[in-house]
Amino acid sequence: MSFNRNIYRELDKWSVSPHRKPLVLRGARQVGKTTAVKAFGASFDTFIALNLEIAADRALFENDLPLDELVQRIFLEKNLQRGRRTLLFIDEIQNSPRAVEQMRYFYEQMPELFVIGAGSLLEIMMDAHKISFPVGRVEYRYLFPLTFEEFLEATGQTEALTVYRQIPMPSWAYDRLFALFHRYVLVGGMPEIVARYRESNDIAALKPVYQGLLTAYVDDVSKYAKNTAEVQVIRHVIESAPHETGKRITFERFGNSPYRSREVGNALRTLERAMLLYLRYPTTAQKPPLTPDLKKKPRLQFVDTGLLNYAAGLQAQFFAHADLHSFHKGILAEHVVAQELMALDTLAIRKPLFWVREVRQSNAEIDALVPFRERAVPVEVKAGKSGTLRSLHAFVDGAPHDLAVRMHAGPLGLSKQTTPKGTPYRLLDLPYFLAGRLPEYLEWAVSGNGTE
């Protein structure tokens, strides 16, 4: 089930950095953290993998040995010799507070050793055990479900991948890439799902795998609830989340429940720490720094669009519609664009903010703001191949720059436009499937076309 993931490039950069620190790889359960590190470990002279869910591996850290003795014991127990380049992988590290503490000593006393830690439900477990990684002694990378680019490579679409990476991509490839993107949104980016789909090409055969993942998520997170009542709220929230995703939500009585705002808020934040869903808050700013307004209602983002489709019962509709905006109120197109934007950054979780203007008789809302060259570029995901741009115009009329993006079911284009109030601006039209290439196309729009 090994795929060529974009995270490998980040791991390579980390490994050759003269300022390398022990690295912690974070992500939701089953997004491929362990598989990625093991594949990366094949390039080292010696690779040692510990899994701290296994008692024998966890016991290695429990005797408070000095670091050099600890490392010797690990090599002895695993019957390995230390090579010139040795990678030590500590998986499910959250199960040992002592292992978490040791990360600082790897940095201070043994910088020649390459060390990666990983874990699922990392923040939840660390909160429960009152432990934290030493400040300034580790660095982080984040792994998300497969992007569309990774999906193309994993499913053997090499020619499509080649044209996807061209800027600008050729217009004759649009129909094929739209069809493949439609299938990606249906299947999703969870590695096990993609691997099974690659084998069978049968979406119906994947139902037990989708259900198994969802059940495991609910069971795992519920383990860390403080009491039975909190378990019930967490279960309700994760089961209701697919039906509320993409909407601006209210915590009070979330998902037609009797639960109060405080209970739901705690459950949502727990699930967000597990990286199973995200709360995307709005901003009213039109230039960086973009600060979320936590007093306003957020949008809900699920971990993966494919899982969302299964849990919300949307899979059958994919075979009746060619345009993602033709069903489920257009939410899927907006959701997968946000998912692709989040996966652009492996250094931090950067939830795309959306922009709102909420004044009487003049409300406006933009799906995402993307920082670019000291600008906040508005990104509007529109129905079909056109759609009105009233909110986009409202933003442009008050913005300190003239660049805007419309993501739609139409072709790539760059044109000069004017708002109804007479404000000139440049509109970059991108098909949905190029969301993961947005930074490159913004550069193309302002530089490659000689407009700046």
Side-chain angles (χ1 to χ4, degrees), residues 213-405:
L213 285 173
L214 288 170
T215 300
Y217 285 151
V218 174
D219 290 346
D220 281 347
V221 178
S222 296
K223 293 176 187 176
Y224 307 107
K226 298 182 179 64
N227 50 55
T228 302
E230 192 169 284
V231 169
Q232 292 175 341
V233 179
I234 289 174
R235 286 183 177 273
H236 169 77
V237 169
I238 196 170
E239 289 167 0
S240 301
H243 304 280
E244 303 295 330
T245 292
K247 306 174 185 176
R248 295 188 68 181
I249 63 168
T250 301
F251 291 4
E252 188 83 9
R253 305 190 185 282
F254 176 82
N256 297 318
S257 73
Y259 301 123
R260 306 301 298 270
S261 177
R262 182 184 181 88
E263 298 170 299
V264 172
N266 288 338
L268 285 167
R269 285 184 283 273
T270 296
L271 292 167
E272 187 167 38
R273 289 198 297 273
M275 298 180 68
L276 299 182
L277 53 77
Y278 305 94
L279 297 170
R280 292 179 52 215
Y281 281 90
T283 182
T284 56
Q286 291 181 283
K287 62 181 179 180
L290 300 176
T291 304
D293 189 337
L294 303 183
K295 299 186 297 297
K296 296 183 181 295
K297 294 192 295 184
R299 283 185 182 176
L300 194 61
Q301 182 81 19
F302 207 59
V303 60
D304 175 66
T305 305
L307 275 175
L308 166 65
N309 295 327
Y310 170 78
L314 299 174
Q315 290 179 334
Q317 297 186 44
F318 274 79
F319 300 96
H321 300 279
D323 178 8
L324 294 178
H325 243 297
S326 299
F327 62 99
H328 201 45
K329 301 178 181 178
I331 287 173
L332 288 184
E334 297 167 10
H335 187 272
V336 74
V337 166
Q339 182 172 323
E340 290 278 277
L341 293 179
M342 283 188 65
L344 289 172
D345 195 341
T346 62
L347 298 178
I349 297 178
R350 301 194 192 280
K351 300 175 288 187
L353 299 177
F354 61 101
W355 178 79
V356 296
R357 183 183 65 190
E358 297 175 330
V359 295
R360 183 173 296 180
Q361 297 180 338
S362 187
N363 287 348
E365 187 171 308
I366 299 291
D367 294 308
L369 291 186
V370 175
F372 173 72
R373 291 195 184 184
E374 300 181 350
R375 303 176 175 96
V377 178
V379 177
E380 185 76 320
V381 183
K382 298 305 296 182
K385 298 181 180 181
S386 56
T388 62
L389 297 173
R390 184 183 63 82
S391 291
L392 195 69
H393 290 157
F395 183 94
V396 168
D397 283 331
H401 66 85
D402 69 342
L403 185 60
V405 176

Side-chain angles (χ1 to χ4, degrees), residues 14 22 90 135 140 153 202 212 248 288 318 360 408 421 432:
W14 166 79
I90 310 173
V135 177
Y140 301 94
E153 186 156 1
D202 181 3
R248 295 188 68 181
F318 274 79
R360 183 173 296 180
H408 64 158
K421 289 186 176 182
Y432 303 134

